[in-house]
Amino acid sequence: NDALPRGFRAGAESRMQTADTLSMANTLQAAPAMQAKEMQAANNGAAPAYSLLQDSRHLATLMQANRSLRLGFLSAGGWDTHANQGNHSGTLANNLASLANALAQLRRTFSEPDDVVLVASEFGRTCAENGSRGTDHGHGNTMWLIGSRVQGGRWHGGWSGLASGNLHENRDLPVFNDYRAVIAQVLRATHGMTGSELDRLFPGFAWDRSLDGLLRA
């Protein structure tokens, strides 16, 4: 290239810079569409969060009409907020409001002594915002339990704060407890499942004594 005339080198560099700029622009334009597609795929067929309240009413009607039904499940999508997540308002706040309304409905409906509502997610989110004003896939997560048997008003399990040195890979909540250990506590307390039954349900699972007391005897 050093043997090329100076003007030709400058022209070639200019064309290369233009091509790089166009490529970057195309990538940036495609990013929101790619993110939207990924976010939709993460729902795995689940209905949007705004339908949770109506779904919770349907579930209550179904289970109250047939008392032999002892376990019910609801799912909601829309939590894969890689872009424009919002803060006190926006996509995440709207989803959380829908979830809160549904949980309040479930608590009113399922209020017998052994009724427990358990909330879990497939994965957490990063603690810090990304460049698209959203949060990416995280590591550790939280689970919520609601019901008369729950030792409520407190957190159970490990917690080390949000200082970067205490985070997994300096960005995510660490995992302190196996999610199966939480479910096992609920199933033993409300369904009387034995250790061998829990072992068959959760192969490789080990009872977590640090969660003893999560539910009242």
Side-chain angles (χ1 to χ4, degrees):
N1 287 342
D2 289 340
L4 295 175
R6 183 179 181 85
F8 187 89
R9 288 204 306 272
E13 291 169 357
S14 176
R15 287 192 294 275
M16 290 174 64
Q17 290 172 352
T18 300
D20 289 343
T21 301
L22 289 173
S23 177
M24 179 62 72
N26 289 335
T27 299
L28 292 174
Q29 289 175 355
M34 292 172 62
Q35 289 172 340
K37 187 174 181 180
E38 290 177 0
M39 291 163 69
Q40 185 66 32
N43 294 338
N44 197 28
Y50 62 73
S51 68
L52 268 174
L53 179 58
Q54 188 64 29
D55 288 346
S56 67
R57 290 172 176 156
H58 290 161
L59 180 65
T61 299
L62 178 66
M63 295 188 72
Q64 287 177 333
N66 184 353
R67 300 291 291 183
S68 66
L69 298 176
R70 301 187 63 194
L71 293 172
F73 299 88
L74 296 174
S75 60
W79 306 98
D80 202 29
T81 50
H82 288 285
N84 301 319
Q85 176 175 286
N87 39 52
H88 65 283
S89 63
T91 300
L92 180 60
N94 292 338
N95 285 351
L96 289 173
S98 296
L99 174 60
N101 290 332
L103 292 178
Q105 174 67 35
L106 290 171
R107 179 64 175 126
R108 287 191 296 268
T109 304
F110 298 102
S111 57
E112 296 184 11
D114 281 339
D115 289 345
V116 174
V117 177
L118 185 150
V119 184
S121 179
E122 294 180 35
F123 47 79
R125 311 300 299 180
T126 52
C127 294
E129 184 178 87
N130 62 22
S132 301
R133 305 187 68 83
T135 51
D136 296 322
H137 293 182
H139 189 63
N141 202 354
T142 186
M143 297 175 73
W144 299 341
L145 293 178
I146 303 170
S148 299
R149 293 284 298 276
V150 179
Q151 297 276 14
R154 68 195 75 178
W155 55 264
H156 297 265
W159 174 251
S160 58
L162 297 176
S164 60
N166 295 332
L167 299 178
H168 173 72
E169 296 181 347
N170 296 317
R171 54 172 257 161
D172 300 324
L173 291 178
V175 173
F176 290 109
N177 304 98
D178 189 330
Y179 76 96
R180 297 173 299 177
V182 179
I183 299 175
Q185 290 274 349
V186 174
L187 292 176
R188 172 170 287 185
T190 62
H191 288 66
M193 291 188 69
T194 65
S196 59
E197 289 172 333
L198 290 171
D199 288 339
R200 288 197 299 273
L201 180 63
F202 299 129
F205 155 79
W207 184 263
D208 187 347
R209 291 187 177 278
S210 72
L211 295 175
D212 289 352
L214 184 62
L215 296 155
R216 296 185 179 92

